[in-house]
Amino acid sequence: MSMIQVGVLGASGYVGSELIGILMKHEGVDISGISSENNQGAAFSSLYPSFKGQYDAQFESNQEVISKSDVVFICLPHGKSEGMVKQCMDEGKKVIDAGADFRLNDLKLYEDWYETAISYPDLHDQAVYGLPEMNKEAISKTSLVANPGCYPTSILLGLYPAVSEHLIDTETLIIDAKSGVTGAGKNLSAVTHFANKNEGFKAYKAGTHRHTPEIEEKLSLMGADNVKVSFVPHLLPVNRGILSTMYADLENQTAPEIIHELYKDWYADDPFITVLDYGDLPDISHVTHSNQCHIGLTVDERTKRLIIVSVIDNMQKGAAGQAVQNMNIMMGFNETEGLAMAAPSF
Amino acid sequence: MSMIQVGVLGASGYVGSELIGILMKHEGVDISGISSENNQGAAFSSLYPSFKGQYDAQFESNQEVISKSDVVFICLPHGKSEGMVKQCMDEGKKVIDAGADFRLNDLKLYEDWYETAISYPDLHDQAVYGLPEMNKEAISKTSLVANPGCYPTSILLGLYPAVSEHLIDTETLIIDAKSGVTGAGKNLSAVTHFANKNEGFKAYKAGTHRHTPEIEEKLSLMGADNVKVSFVPHLLPVNRGILSTMYADLENQTAPEIIHELYKDWYADDPFITVLDYGDLPDISHVTHSNQCHIGLTVDERTKRLIIVSVIDNMQKGAAGQAVQNMNIMMGFNETEGLAMAAPSF
Amino acid sequence: MSMIQVGVLGASGYVGSELIGILMKHEGVDISGISSENNQGAAFSSLYPSFKGQYDAQFESNQEVISKSDVVFICLPHGKSEGMVKQCMDEGKKVIDAGADFRLNDLKLYEDWYETAISYPDLHDQAVYGLPEMNKEAISKTSLVANPGCYPTSILLGLYPAVSEHLIDTETLIIDAKSGVTGAGKNLSAVTHFANKNEGFKAYKAGTHRHTPEIEEKLSLMGADNVKVSFVPHLLPVNRGILSTMYADLENQTAPEIIHELYKDWYADDPFITVLDYGDLPDISHVTHSNQCHIGLTVDERTKRLIIVSVIDNMQKGAAGQAVQNMNIMMGFNETEGLAMAAPSF
Amino acid sequence: MSMIQVGVLGASGYVGSELIGILMKHEGVDISGISSENNQGAAFSSLYPSFKGQYDAQFESNQEVISKSDVVFICLPHGKSEGMVKQCMDEGKKVIDAGADFRLNDLKLYEDWYETAISYPDLHDQAVYGLPEMNKEAISKTSLVANPGCYPTSILLGLYPAVSEHLIDTETLIIDAKSGVTGAGKNLSAVTHFANKNEGFKAYKAGTHRHTPEIEEKLSLMGADNVKVSFVPHLLPVNRGILSTMYADLENQTAPEIIHELYKDWYADDPFITVLDYGDLPDISHVTHSNQCHIGLTVDERTKRLIIVSVIDNMQKGAAGQAVQNMNIMMGFNETEGLAMAAPSF
């Protein structure tokens, strides 16, 4: 079988390096090249020594990588992807953009929250939001996937059945999310200085995080009416994982077992979603280093609220794993190819 | 000056051992004795080697300790305190009960949530709920203080001004709390096995934690009408600290600056409460090993919700530190005696 | 291709569960069954929730598993393996014993250090010590592999070239090793209670650890004369990884570059060994979740000592990964099959 | 009693901030001022929020602080202290220099290892090496104390009795030390980026660390002949603590119990040193947030080596705590004033 050639732009960052690890295990692709503006000529394994002797390729320019690739993963900061996507599309490549530039349908919303102008509005019409559990068919037909944000992935998967089936009053939605520090990337900061973070824990950007409009727009597409959520992220002293705790008033008196059954059925065919037993709540450590999402739920009988807890690995299902899942769907591979990573939680 | 003689029942547990550390620095007391049913005759420092050469006293029986003490701290599991309190009171001792037995005014509520019968209902009339920022005068006059739970302390301090001033709709209250593992004590369990907890994070007892009725009853006393909260605790991979994130709809259009000013004024005279600048959110690490509570708040303008975040050290302000603060108030010491522990956060 | 049937005895422990994770990715084998004396009938994924929906098989009896398998991995405590090995061998199975029972050639040494009697001395003649970098050919021909201890693996790989080439005075060998807590297994203990271990670090069994005779016997086989090492293990507050720092007087004035070159050449054909640049010292995090061993070395010019630092993942190259590597060699698979797990170090 | 005025130069760093925490508890001193070249005008508590409401003083210039102080603590990088010390001494102040500039008697050795020229050689004659357990009387009489390095403190305390009594062959000394990350200070670096350090562990500067000549010079003063040590430090994923494991051949056949007894006697009058029971090895967590040093020892009977393990908190006994201990001795305070910080290890 001839191998698909895949390239990674911005492979020096955390998402890019996680992608390399996954793609090396993928049986249907070759890594055609990797780029990094600041590291051209350096070996990938000099930045990520785990790969010594296993993947020692050098960083090249974006253009060199694009020209050698059938599929291009873009792992660049927001605002930097759009032009690269234009170029890739002009050259007839398939693209999975791990950044934020193509996630929102409402371009005005993007420009407001990201304080960045859109240059190629038409291009955005072609983008499909790459949450496979929601958009599998569209993903299979597009050439441009906008890979979801890490927080939105964990949140949307947790809320999808409840919102679609109108089980909850979305006006009352509270989302309290907690992420490991790899979500903040490899740039040094006082916040992620070990002595500050170890034994530390805090909330940040309460009500103002840029993932808010993405969450709201996609919930609306699932059937919520003009939803506005309170979204507060927190930074955990762990490397990987997002746990989102979601609270909403029940819209009617649906029995807890019915809700649970609905969730089980909803995701019955999705290989990466596990709905736990009713009342069983998930642990971040159970999904780290895997593309799995575990969802637990319970009804707070005293307050008639539905409480949903979901966990993912922010680097996998929240970024690089989901990007490969999207590629698999786009290119006709088995959805789990390269992603079958079961391991104990320690 | 003659020293007050203080004893600690149940000093082999985490709260008891933290108490010993504080009492050793207190200039107005001598530790008269320590008890532990399971460790009589053993040296305290054999269980807690940090104390080697500094506090090597042996565990005695409860009765021995009571008889030598003016003030007795009780650090026993719920259900075990009540009888001890009876005995101490009969012998004319002052008592600070670090357990749950005397925290609730509504004894029926206690019996339901704790599945434990009350034996001496009259005794409960004498107990004062030991949240000093709320009940200072009553504490100064009583002989029996019920030291608050760790979660309730962090939550009540965060909500006290908003609830008292009717700024929020308490029917919409969501409390998402996160605690370090010392809250689970020294008993071994799979949940607190290092390989499980390190890099792990999970919610537990969603909507069913025993601190729920304590939170609700005290909020009612602060002025909330028949409040029912959704309370979900989570277990952090850190040793110490509780961070509680609280969400509620604003009752009216009070300006954020007014709310913030109100909080600053409310706690202006409380030596252990720091209200941060508006929008600044606290970190658990800033209060570990101290009796401080830091409170941050922000208004989510899009949803008209007040978001309050409070942090304490669960072993200090959430247990042993607050117990000593209560003793200081009861016995006429300076409120901060023994508790002036400033240290950097690393 | 017909798949090899492999079974795992004692699959409820950490090594067993790690094995399952690896075997699921192995393209040449099916997991025929798993056993656990204490968990018969329970689902594997109820103990290890990461596997929910991916590997939900139930634990069976040892005998059931053996009868369905071509190859049997034994992950039982020392003293429990020997009888199982006997049974497997009698039934014509190939065996990889992850325990200690067959690691030592000198049975008297085993009986002394492990305080356990040998029952089938003849059986031990058939066992090959499963350090592939040392014994590849013998492993390929045997039916019984004794999988090395975790500490000995890291230490022997670090010393093999220096000892074989007589570069160092083995009488002066000091081995200071540090392991993550999974090495202590899943049994609960105060030592691995989170609140004790997090922010804790200590040495244990200084000079008395049971891996000592294994290290010494294998070093003798490599060419050291009647070597006696000082071996002190320490317990790190991390889940995975062993770092061994080894010190020995140089036997002669071999130039550092020559020694380094020798190490590079020695392991040039070993897919799991990476010798770092001279003076570059390895980090545990660079090999976690992989079967790699990284080795760094430097000469302390002032004292004329060779300092060697090696790192492995104790669960992988130190246990389950090496067990599969041995199976691959025994069964004629590619040595790296199932083990090509590159991932970034975060 | 009139309070001693003490100032801290370089109070924005980790050692400086730890000092402030200790000095606030000291009953005999007032903090006269704090300086920071880069933070003049900023509040100390804006850098270290734990101090909010407790110590909100602003940083001033070095000169302002010196002029207001009787005693000056200098927490500046090596090379920056010497001039400040000159100025303080000229103005008749007492000085405790927490940096490296005055630690070595052999100025040539300083210039070689630190690659920094000495400007005031005569000044160095007045400096006393501030290891109180070794130099108490000289400290009590001097105006200039050179506070020891963190690694040397842990190592010298562990070796002092054995070297002074010629129990070991110092030519065979191997020192394998492990430190928490606060030893690397507050400057951001990839090494101390949370995602790299959490679950990471590595050796660094093997045989080349600048504390090497300090260790050797002081061991010589204790009685070792022209000692050369192999010293390899490692970086632990914890905030605080140094554990040093030391190995040396026994010089003669002194019985283990005799050696242990000698250690107990040697430190019988030192309030901060605890010699554990024979064979009991210390844990870093038992001394964090305290000025204590715990020492354990065992004889490896098979190799006739003495193995000594010592632990300290690098920020306390390894820096700020020892600095205050030195001030106490210089100024005639009780040696433990401000330092009696017993706390459980969690």
Side-chain angles (χ1 to χ4, degrees), chain A residues 113 171-178 195-207 212 216 227-232 234 236-240 243 245 247 280-285 288 298 300 302-303 305 307 309 311 345-346, chain B residues 113 171-178 195-207 212 216 227-232 234 236-240 243 245 247 280-285 288 298 300 302-303 305 307 309 311 345-346:
Chain A
W113 282 81
E171 278 200 68
T172 65
L173 248 177
I174 305 283
I175 302 167
D176 191 286
K178 302 88 175 171
N196 291 335
K197 192 64 219 160
N198 179 36
E199 302 299 287
F201 177 66
K202 68 169 298 174
Y204 68 104
K205 295 185 186 166
T212 307
E216 292 178 344
V227 64
K228 289 252 174 297
V229 301
S230 281
F231 168 49
V232 179
H234 302 68
L236 286 166
V238 301
N239 278 4
R240 288 163 175 263
L243 183 147
T245 312
Y247 306 80
D280 192 7
L281 301 180
D283 192 309
I284 275 183
S285 68
T288 43
T298 192
D300 186 351
R302 300 168 59 260
T303 62
R305 288 200 184 99
I307 300 171
V309 183
V311 295
S345 53
F346 47 77
Chain B
W113 281 81
E171 277 201 69
T172 65
L173 248 177
I174 305 282
I175 301 167
D176 191 286
K178 303 88 175 171
N196 291 336
K197 192 63 218 160
N198 180 36
E199 301 300 286
F201 178 67
K202 69 168 298 177
Y204 68 104
K205 295 186 186 165
T212 308
E216 292 178 345
V227 64
K228 289 253 174 297
V229 301
S230 280
F231 168 50
V232 178
H234 301 70
L236 287 167
V238 301
N239 279 4
R240 288 163 176 262
L243 183 147
T245 312
Y247 307 80
D280 192 6
L281 301 180
D283 193 309
I284 274 182
S285 68
T288 44
T298 192
D300 186 350
R302 299 169 59 259
T303 62
R305 287 199 186 100
I307 299 171
V309 183
V311 296
S345 53
F346 46 76

Side-chain angles (χ1 to χ4, degrees), chain C residues 75-131:
Chain C
C75 306
L76 297 171
H78 78 266
K80 300 248 172 141
S81 303
E82 203 196 17
M84 281 297 127
V85 169
K86 177 77 170 69
Q87 189 171 337
C88 290
M89 298 292 280
D90 286 350
E91 298 188 27
K93 313 298 186 182
K94 303 231 179 202
V95 179
I96 294 147
D97 179 20
D101 287 4
F102 291 86
R103 289 177 189 157
L104 295 176
N105 295 346
D106 183 339
L107 304 190
K108 179 67 170 50
L109 209 53
Y110 174 85
E111 295 188 325
D112 287 351
W113 281 81
Y114 288 87
E115 295 168 325
T116 303
I118 295 282
S119 302
Y120 309 102
D122 293 352
L123 200 54
H124 292 251
D125 295 340
Q126 303 177 49
V128 172
Y129 187 69
L131 190 67

